[in-house]
Amino acid sequence: MTTLAANKPAYDGTTLDLSGKSGARAIRNGLATVLITLCFLIAVIPLIWILWTVVSKGYSLVLDASWWSQSQRGITSRREGGGAYHAIMGSIIMALMCAAIAVPLGVLGAIYLIEYGKGSKAARAVSFMVDILTGVPSIVAALFVYAVWITMLGQNRIGFAVSLSLVLLMMPVVLRSTEEMLKLVPDELREAAYALGVPKWKTILKVVVPTAFGGIVTGIMLGLARVIGETAPLLILVGYSKVINMNPFEGFMGALPTMINNDRGDMALPAAEARVWSTALTLILLVLALNLIARLIARFSTIKSK
């Protein structure tokens, strides 16, 4: 012990400075900072340019109260006036019908994958099919529904058919987001419920789903934002109508994407051009509202990251 103490170097009171960077490290750090900043600007500048173009050319009609309360009934491409009420309501109705089908399928499918079928062949098959649906283009989903609904069953082109095709696009988003949120629920909560004698189905209903509720709703809102701006299903499965139609099971329906498509061929006319840009801005505002709602729900979610 005496020998070790004698050989130990004396502390001279100085501290080791680790705050500085070597020349090579400083160059690499600066280069990485410049590249990241450039990538950020490359991504943001086109976005700001698009938003500025849409807002500057479409705000005039959006600020008019009649835009939100009137349809385009009797309005031609050369004539000014009318509103987008029929298209807004058509988009919302078809999206809500889509959600009424896609949300139960997506949530229940995620519960099966996480709580019941983990590791089973059936679960792997379901997960594989969901991965395929995630990458299916909207026009392929529309053509599939057209082949079944119109060609095979002999039904008409209506808004409900559009909702069926949108289900194929929204359901994978809801399922995957719900699946990830259920994975974040601590197993200790499940085990505590089982230890108290609570059945598994009641544990899922009363413990697991409420814990992940905020994230589940966020995924649903993002799924709605994903499908509400789709155009291909509208062009294939329902005709555009300038009048207000609240019945998705009969007749043509207006929607914001098809309202843009209806006037885009007459962009040389001032009235048609104003309607196109204003409809585009309305669609952006609708999607923005859905995303903001999803953000608020995520902020107040019961699952917090540490």
Side-chain angles (χ1 to χ4, degrees):
M1 296 292 292
T2 304
T3 304
L4 292 175
N7 294 333
K8 183 176 180 180
Y11 177 65
D12 59 359
T14 61
T15 58
L16 181 61
D17 185 12
L18 299 176
S19 60
K21 299 177 183 178
S22 65
R25 288 180 59 197
I27 293 174
R28 288 196 296 267
N29 181 72
L31 181 61
T33 302
V34 171
L35 289 177
I36 292 173
T37 304
L38 287 176
C39 291
F40 172 77
L41 292 176
I42 291 173
V44 169
I45 289 176
L47 176 62
I48 296 176
W49 190 4
I50 293 172
L51 289 177
W52 170 253
T53 302
V54 175
V55 172
S56 62
K57 294 187 176 183
Y59 76 94
S60 58
L61 292 180
V62 172
L63 296 179
D64 190 351
S66 63
W67 178 258
W68 304 93
S69 60
Q70 297 180 10
S71 68
Q72 288 290 306
R73 185 185 185 96
I75 304 297
T76 62
S77 298
R78 297 179 178 274
R79 180 182 171 188
E80 297 181 356
Y85 178 76
H86 65 297
I88 297 171
M89 293 306 299
S91 294
I92 293 175
I93 289 172
M94 286 184 280
L96 291 179
M97 290 192 63
C98 165
I101 302 172
V103 170
L105 291 177
V107 173
L108 293 177
I111 291 175
Y112 170 76
L113 291 178
I114 299 300
E115 305 294 337
Y116 290 98
K118 187 179 297 184
S120 65
K121 292 183 179 180
R124 288 196 294 268
V126 171
S127 182
F128 176 72
M129 296 305 297
V130 170
D131 290 338
I132 293 176
L133 284 177
T134 303
V136 170
S138 59
I139 191 169
V140 175
L143 290 174
F144 171 75
V145 174
Y146 184 91
V148 175
W149 180 260
I150 297 176
T151 304
M152 293 181 59
L153 301 180
Q155 301 297 320
N156 297 322
R157 297 171 64 206
I158 54 176
F160 179 69
V162 176
S163 298
L164 292 178
S165 67
L166 296 180
V167 168
L168 300 177
L169 305 175
M170 181 178 177
M171 190 268 291
V173 177
V174 176
L175 191 147
R176 285 304 182 204
S177 61
T178 303
E179 182 181 4
E180 294 302 319
M181 295 309 301
L182 293 178
K183 289 179 180 178
L184 294 178
V185 178
D187 289 336
E188 289 80 3
L189 294 178
R190 300 178 176 89
E191 294 169 358
Y194 298 152
L196 295 174
V198 181
K200 187 170 186 175
W201 68 269
K202 188 172 289 188
T203 299
I204 296 171
L205 187 63
K206 298 293 185 179
V207 177
V208 177
V209 172
T211 305
F213 180 76
I216 294 173
V217 176
T218 301
I220 293 172
M221 301 303 292
L222 293 177
L224 274 175
R226 157 79 170 83
V227 302
I228 201 168
E230 290 292 343
T231 306
L234 295 166
L235 296 176
I236 295 174
L237 296 171
V238 68
Y240 174 68
S241 175
K242 292 186 176 183
V243 300
I244 300 173
N245 179 16
M246 299 292 188
N247 185 5
F249 297 98
E250 183 178 359
F252 292 166
M253 291 188 71
L256 292 171
T258 47
M259 184 175 176
I260 295 173
N261 182 72
N262 182 70
D263 282 323
R264 89 183 153 77
D266 298 317
M267 288 284 286
L269 302 175
E273 181 184 9
R275 277 193 294 269
V276 167
W277 289 112
S278 298
T279 307
L281 179 57
T282 304
L283 183 58
I284 291 175
L285 292 176
L286 188 58
V287 174
L288 177 63
L290 292 175
N291 281 277
L292 289 177
I293 293 172
R295 293 283 185 177
L296 291 175
I297 294 173
R299 176 170 295 185
F300 295 101
S301 174
T302 55
I303 297 180
K304 303 293 183 181
S305 58
K306 296 182 180 180

